[in-house]
Amino acid sequence: MEDISTSRASASNGVQITVNSPEQMQELGRRLAKLLRAGDLVMLNGELGAGKTTLSRGLGAGLGVRGAVTSPTFVIARVHPSLGDGPPLVHVDAYRLGGGLDEMEDLDLDVSLSDSVIVVEWGEGKVEELTDDRLHVVIHRAVGDTTDEVRHVTVTGLGQRWATADLAVLAT
């Protein structure tokens, strides 16, 4: 990825990355996919249009899953089976869900978690109870009337699973 800068997040295992285009956001997703395995939960947060689905599309490409990864806003969740021997991707959009794990129980994410990579857009405050080990990805963009493609992405690993992971490889 060219023109990407990075710095270590100070509070926990994390990295901050500047992304300058949708193509770079997809590439970041492909790089992130290399770190993921069955049982991983990734929470994506950011303003509307920040690039959550674009990042998810890159994750799907990196994991080698079947089907186009698109926003699951109206179906809430989509399962993308692996085309190889990797885990399936469960892509969830929790935007229209009120809050808490209770509303998400019908999705059986706790059952899927052990054998899938679960990515939840708008998951903050809704899916943390699934596991102590998760990646929290926050995408910041300029708001208002702007055509600025620059995004500032903070990836933070929480829990023992991510305590020693080298998240700095995401920016190389």
Side-chain angles (χ1 to χ4, degrees), residues 58-112:
L59 282 170
L63 290 171
V65 299
R66 185 176 69 212
V69 176
T70 59
S71 179
T73 299
F74 297 106
V75 295
I76 308 297
R78 283 194 175 95
V79 177
H80 298 274
S82 176
L83 292 171
D85 59 356
L89 172 67
V90 177
H91 185 205
V92 179
D93 187 328
Y95 182 74
R96 295 185 304 138
L97 301 177
L101 197 54
D102 292 341
E103 282 194 46
M104 300 196 67
E105 277 185 359
D106 288 340
L107 299 177
D108 287 332
L109 294 181
D110 54 338
V111 173
S112 301

Side-chain angles (χ1 to χ4, degrees), residues 15 28-38 40 42 59 62-63 117 135 155 161-162 165-171:
V15 64
L28 177 59
R30 284 189 286 275
R31 290 179 189 276
L32 180 56
K34 293 178 184 178
L35 299 177
L36 299 176
R37 63 182 185 217
D40 285 339
V42 180
L59 282 170
L63 290 171
V117 170
L135 278 179
V155 181
R161 156 79 171 98
W162 297 103
D166 183 12
L167 297 177
V169 301
L170 296 173

Side-chain angles (χ1 to χ4, degrees), residues 11-59:
S12 59
N13 186 17
V15 64
Q16 295 177 354
I17 304 160
T18 299
V19 176
N20 296 302
S21 69
E23 295 78 20
Q24 285 186 357
M25 187 66 78
Q26 281 191 22
E27 177 60 26
L28 177 59
R30 284 189 286 275
R31 290 179 189 276
L32 180 56
K34 293 178 184 178
L35 299 177
L36 299 176
R37 63 182 185 217
D40 285 339
L41 172 65
V42 180
M43 294 172 34
L44 301 179
N45 291 287
E47 299 90 0
L48 284 171
K52 295 177 295 296
T53 300
T54 302
L55 181 69
S56 297
R57 195 170 295 121
L59 282 170

